[in-house]
PDB file of all heavy atoms in Angstrom:
ATOM      1  N   PHE A 316     -30.832   9.806  -4.545  1.00 89.00           N
ATOM      2  CA  PHE A 316     -30.764  10.767  -3.450  1.00 89.00           C
ATOM      3  C   PHE A 316     -29.726  10.355  -2.408  1.00 89.00           C
ATOM      4  O   PHE A 316     -29.066  11.216  -1.814  1.00 89.00           O
ATOM      5  CB  PHE A 316     -32.134  10.920  -2.787  1.00 89.00           C
ATOM      6  CG  PHE A 316     -33.112  11.713  -3.604  1.00 89.00           C
ATOM      7  CD1 PHE A 316     -34.344  11.188  -3.941  1.00 89.00           C
ATOM      8  CD2 PHE A 316     -32.810  12.986  -4.041  1.00 89.00           C
ATOM      9  CE1 PHE A 316     -35.246  11.914  -4.684  1.00 89.00           C
ATOM     10  CE2 PHE A 316     -33.712  13.728  -4.779  1.00 89.00           C
ATOM     11  CZ  PHE A 316     -34.931  13.193  -5.110  1.00 89.00           C
ATOM     12  N   LEU A 317     -29.573   9.041  -2.175  1.00 91.00           N
ATOM     13  CA  LEU A 317     -28.560   8.571  -1.223  1.00 91.00           C
ATOM     14  C   LEU A 317     -27.169   9.056  -1.612  1.00 91.00           C
ATOM     15  O   LEU A 317     -26.397   9.524  -0.761  1.00 91.00           O
ATOM     16  CB  LEU A 317     -28.563   7.041  -1.153  1.00 91.00           C
ATOM     17  CG  LEU A 317     -29.457   6.352  -0.129  1.00 91.00           C
ATOM     18  CD1 LEU A 317     -29.294   4.851  -0.219  1.00 91.00           C
ATOM     19  CD2 LEU A 317     -29.167   6.835   1.279  1.00 91.00           C
ATOM     20  N   ASN A 318     -26.837   8.925  -2.888  1.00 87.00           N
ATOM     21  CA  ASN A 318     -25.511   9.328  -3.345  1.00 87.00           C
ATOM     22  C   ASN A 318     -25.254  10.809  -3.078  1.00 87.00           C
ATOM     23  O   ASN A 318     -24.155  11.186  -2.641  1.00 87.00           O
ATOM     24  CB  ASN A 318     -25.370   9.035  -4.843  1.00 87.00           C
ATOM     25  CG  ASN A 318     -25.386   7.550  -5.148  1.00 87.00           C
ATOM     26  OD1 ASN A 318     -25.074   6.729  -4.286  1.00 87.00           O
ATOM     27  ND2 ASN A 318     -25.761   7.185  -6.362  1.00 87.00           N
ATOM     28  N   GLU A 319     -26.260  11.630  -3.340  1.00 85.00           N
ATOM     29  CA  GLU A 319     -26.079  13.066  -3.143  1.00 85.00           C
ATOM     30  C   GLU A 319     -26.077  13.442  -1.667  1.00 85.00           C
ATOM     31  O   GLU A 319     -25.280  14.277  -1.230  1.00 85.00           O
ATOM     32  CB  GLU A 319     -27.174  13.827  -3.888  1.00 85.00           C
ATOM     33  CG  GLU A 319     -27.113  13.627  -5.396  1.00 85.00           C
ATOM     34  CD  GLU A 319     -28.216  14.369  -6.125  1.00 85.00           C
ATOM     35  OE1 GLU A 319     -28.984  15.091  -5.467  1.00 85.00           O
ATOM     36  OE2 GLU A 319     -28.301  14.211  -7.357  1.00 85.00           O
ATOM     37  N   LEU A 320     -26.961  12.829  -0.881  1.00 89.00           N
ATOM     38  CA  LEU A 320     -27.069  13.177   0.532  1.00 89.00           C
ATOM     39  C   LEU A 320     -25.889  12.646   1.340  1.00 89.00           C
ATOM     40  O   LEU A 320     -25.494  13.247   2.340  1.00 89.00           O
ATOM     41  CB  LEU A 320     -28.388  12.638   1.094  1.00 89.00           C
ATOM     42  CG  LEU A 320     -29.645  13.309   0.525  1.00 89.00           C
ATOM     43  CD1 LEU A 320     -30.895  12.549   0.957  1.00 89.00           C
ATOM     44  CD2 LEU A 320     -29.722  14.766   0.972  1.00 89.00           C
ATOM     45  N   ASN A 321     -25.314  11.510   0.939  1.00 91.00           N
ATOM     46  CA  ASN A 321     -24.100  11.017   1.601  1.00 91.00           C
ATOM     47  C   ASN A 321     -22.978  12.043   1.500  1.00 91.00           C
ATOM     48  O   ASN A 321     -22.241  12.286   2.468  1.00 91.00           O
ATOM     49  CB  ASN A 321     -23.652   9.692   0.976  1.00 91.00           C
ATOM     50  CG  ASN A 321     -24.340   8.492   1.597  1.00 91.00           C
ATOM     51  OD1 ASN A 321     -24.713   8.505   2.767  1.00 91.00           O
ATOM     52  ND2 ASN A 321     -24.516   7.435   0.816  1.00 91.00           N
ATOM     53  N   VAL A 322     -22.850  12.649   0.331  1.00 88.00           N
ATOM     54  CA  VAL A 322     -21.831  13.683   0.134  1.00 88.00           C
ATOM     55  C   VAL A 322     -22.149  14.901   0.981  1.00 88.00           C
ATOM     56  O   VAL A 322     -21.280  15.468   1.653  1.00 88.00           O
ATOM     57  CB  VAL A 322     -21.739  14.065  -1.360  1.00 88.00           C
ATOM     58  CG1 VAL A 322     -20.788  15.249  -1.549  1.00 88.00           C
ATOM     59  CG2 VAL A 322     -21.271  12.880  -2.191  1.00 88.00           C
ATOM     60  N   GLU A 323     -23.413  15.302   0.973  1.00 87.00           N
ATOM     61  CA  GLU A 323     -23.816  16.510   1.706  1.00 87.00           C
ATOM     62  C   GLU A 323     -23.577  16.379   3.204  1.00 87.00           C
ATOM     63  O   GLU A 323     -23.119  17.317   3.859  1.00 87.00           O
ATOM     64  CB  GLU A 323     -25.294  16.805   1.439  1.00 87.00           C
ATOM     65  CG  GLU A 323     -25.806  18.049   2.164  1.00 87.00           C
ATOM     66  CD  GLU A 323     -27.272  18.333   1.881  1.00 87.00           C
ATOM     67  OE1 GLU A 323     -27.838  17.694   0.952  1.00 87.00           O
ATOM     68  OE2 GLU A 323     -27.864  19.188   2.586  1.00 87.00           O
ATOM     69  N   PHE A 324     -23.891  15.192   3.760  1.00 90.00           N
ATOM     70  CA  PHE A 324     -23.805  15.013   5.208  1.00 90.00           C
ATOM     71  C   PHE A 324     -22.592  14.202   5.658  1.00 90.00           C
ATOM     72  O   PHE A 324     -22.449  13.908   6.849  1.00 90.00           O
ATOM     73  CB  PHE A 324     -25.088  14.339   5.723  1.00 90.00           C
ATOM     74  CG  PHE A 324     -26.312  15.184   5.579  1.00 90.00           C
ATOM     75  CD1 PHE A 324     -27.273  14.889   4.623  1.00 90.00           C
ATOM     76  CD2 PHE A 324     -26.506  16.307   6.373  1.00 90.00           C
ATOM     77  CE1 PHE A 324     -28.399  15.666   4.478  1.00 90.00           C
ATOM     78  CE2 PHE A 324     -27.630  17.098   6.242  1.00 90.00           C
ATOM     79  CZ  PHE A 324     -28.582  16.789   5.292  1.00 90.00           C
ATOM     80  N   GLY A 325     -21.722  13.846   4.720  1.00 91.00           N
ATOM     81  CA  GLY A 325     -20.528  13.103   5.093  1.00 91.00           C
ATOM     82  C   GLY A 325     -20.829  11.724   5.641  1.00 91.00           C
ATOM     83  O   GLY A 325     -20.125  11.232   6.531  1.00 91.00           O
ATOM     84  N   LYS A 326     -21.878  11.079   5.127  1.00 92.00           N
ATOM     85  CA  LYS A 326     -22.273   9.745   5.584  1.00 92.00           C
ATOM     86  C   LYS A 326     -21.836   8.684   4.565  1.00 92.00           C
ATOM     87  O   LYS A 326     -21.426   9.016   3.441  1.00 92.00           O
ATOM     88  CB  LYS A 326     -23.791   9.676   5.771  1.00 92.00           C
ATOM     89  CG  LYS A 326     -24.343  10.543   6.908  1.00 92.00           C
ATOM     90  CD  LYS A 326     -23.885  10.014   8.255  1.00 92.00           C
ATOM     91  CE  LYS A 326     -24.581  10.714   9.403  1.00 92.00           C
ATOM     92  NZ  LYS A 326     -25.954  10.235   9.624  1.00 92.00           N
ATOM     93  N   GLN A 327     -21.947   7.410   4.972  1.00 92.00           N
ATOM     94  CA  GLN A 327     -21.630   6.297   4.081  1.00 92.00           C
ATOM     95  C   GLN A 327     -22.750   5.257   4.142  1.00 92.00           C
ATOM     96  O   GLN A 327     -22.509   4.063   4.301  1.00 92.00           O
ATOM     97  CB  GLN A 327     -20.286   5.672   4.467  1.00 92.00           C
ATOM     98  CG  GLN A 327     -19.095   6.592   4.247  1.00 92.00           C
ATOM     99  CD  GLN A 327     -17.772   5.932   4.590  1.00 92.00           C
ATOM    100  OE1 GLN A 327     -17.730   4.976   5.362  1.00 92.00           O
ATOM    101  NE2 GLN A 327     -16.698   6.438   4.022  1.00 92.00           N
ATOM    102  N   ARG A 352     -37.873  13.520  -0.947  1.00 90.00           N
ATOM    103  CA  ARG A 352     -36.537  14.065  -0.678  1.00 90.00           C
ATOM    104  C   ARG A 352     -36.395  14.448   0.794  1.00 90.00           C
ATOM    105  O   ARG A 352     -35.359  14.193   1.420  1.00 90.00           O
ATOM    106  CB  ARG A 352     -36.288  15.298  -1.559  1.00 90.00           C
ATOM    107  CG  ARG A 352     -34.939  15.972  -1.297  1.00 90.00           C
ATOM    108  CD  ARG A 352     -34.891  17.338  -1.939  1.00 90.00           C
ATOM    109  NE  ARG A 352     -34.731  17.265  -3.369  1.00 90.00           N
ATOM    110  CZ  ARG A 352     -33.543  17.195  -3.975  1.00 90.00           C
ATOM    111  NH1 ARG A 352     -32.432  17.153  -3.259  1.00 90.00           N
ATOM    112  NH2 ARG A 352     -33.472  17.162  -5.282  1.00 90.00           N
ATOM    113  N   MET A 355     -35.919  11.332   2.805  1.00 95.00           N
ATOM    114  CA  MET A 355     -34.570  10.800   2.595  1.00 95.00           C
ATOM    115  C   MET A 355     -33.536  11.576   3.401  1.00 95.00           C
ATOM    116  O   MET A 355     -32.621  10.978   3.996  1.00 95.00           O
ATOM    117  CB  MET A 355     -34.224  10.834   1.105  1.00 95.00           C
ATOM    118  CG  MET A 355     -34.975   9.826   0.245  1.00 95.00           C
ATOM    119  SD  MET A 355     -34.549   8.115   0.640  1.00 95.00           S
ATOM    120  CE  MET A 355     -32.794   8.119   0.276  1.00 95.00           C
ATOM    121  N   ARG A 356     -33.662  12.882   3.437  1.00 92.00           N
ATOM    122  CA  ARG A 356     -32.723  13.701   4.220  1.00 92.00           C
ATOM    123  C   ARG A 356     -32.797  13.325   5.696  1.00 92.00           C
ATOM    124  O   ARG A 356     -31.770  13.180   6.373  1.00 92.00           O
ATOM    125  CB  ARG A 356     -33.028  15.185   4.041  1.00 92.00           C
ATOM    126  CG  ARG A 356     -32.640  15.748   2.682  1.00 92.00           C
ATOM    127  CD  ARG A 356     -33.105  17.187   2.551  1.00 92.00           C
ATOM    128  NE  ARG A 356     -32.426  18.043   3.497  1.00 92.00           N
ATOM    129  CZ  ARG A 356     -31.258  18.652   3.284  1.00 92.00           C
ATOM    130  NH1 ARG A 356     -30.638  18.476   2.130  1.00 92.00           N
ATOM    131  NH2 ARG A 356     -30.713  19.425   4.187  1.00 92.00           N
ATOM    132  N   GLU A 357     -34.019  13.161   6.199  1.00 93.00           N
ATOM    133  CA  GLU A 357     -34.176  12.826   7.609  1.00 93.00           C
ATOM    134  C   GLU A 357     -33.608  11.439   7.909  1.00 93.00           C
ATOM    135  O   GLU A 357     -32.957  11.229   8.950  1.00 93.00           O
ATOM    136  CB  GLU A 357     -35.661  12.893   7.994  1.00 93.00           C
ATOM    137  CG  GLU A 357     -35.908  12.769   9.482  1.00 93.00           C
ATOM    138  CD  GLU A 357     -37.337  13.084   9.869  1.00 93.00           C
ATOM    139  OE1 GLU A 357     -38.052  13.706   9.055  1.00 93.00           O
ATOM    140  OE2 GLU A 357     -37.741  12.695  10.990  1.00 93.00           O
ATOM    141  N   LEU A 358     -33.839  10.496   7.013  1.00 95.00           N
ATOM    142  CA  LEU A 358     -33.315   9.144   7.214  1.00 95.00           C
ATOM    143  C   LEU A 358     -31.786   9.136   7.227  1.00 95.00           C
ATOM    144  O   LEU A 358     -31.170   8.448   8.041  1.00 95.00           O
ATOM    145  CB  LEU A 358     -33.831   8.216   6.117  1.00 95.00           C
ATOM    146  CG  LEU A 358     -35.313   7.830   6.202  1.00 95.00           C
ATOM    147  CD1 LEU A 358     -35.747   7.099   4.939  1.00 95.00           C
ATOM    148  CD2 LEU A 358     -35.573   6.963   7.433  1.00 95.00           C
ATOM    149  N   ILE A 359     -31.187   9.884   6.332  1.00 94.00           N
ATOM    150  CA  ILE A 359     -29.719   9.948   6.282  1.00 94.00           C
ATOM    151  C   ILE A 359     -29.162  10.563   7.559  1.00 94.00           C
ATOM    152  O   ILE A 359     -28.186  10.068   8.142  1.00 94.00           O
ATOM    153  CB  ILE A 359     -29.261  10.766   5.051  1.00 94.00           C
ATOM    154  CG1 ILE A 359     -29.478   9.974   3.768  1.00 94.00           C
ATOM    155  CG2 ILE A 359     -27.798  11.166   5.173  1.00 94.00           C
ATOM    156  CD1 ILE A 359     -28.508   8.834   3.576  1.00 94.00           C
ATOM    157  N   VAL A 360     -29.780  11.626   8.015  1.00 93.00           N
ATOM    158  CA  VAL A 360     -29.307  12.302   9.230  1.00 93.00           C
ATOM    159  C   VAL A 360     -29.401  11.382  10.441  1.00 93.00           C
ATOM    160  O   VAL A 360     -28.501  11.349  11.299  1.00 93.00           O
ATOM    161  CB  VAL A 360     -30.122  13.592   9.468  1.00 93.00           C
ATOM    162  CG1 VAL A 360     -29.821  14.167  10.847  1.00 93.00           C
ATOM    163  CG2 VAL A 360     -29.800  14.633   8.401  1.00 93.00           C
TER     164      VAL A 360
END
Side-chain angles (χ1 to χ4, degrees):
F316 286 125
L317 269 181
N318 293 336
E319 297 179 4
L320 293 170
N321 274 331
V322 174
E323 180 180 349
F324 294 107
K326 293 292 189 78
Q327 294 182 337
R352 177 193 285 273
M355 289 294 299
R356 287 174 65 88
E357 189 170 343
L358 288 171
I359 287 287
V360 170

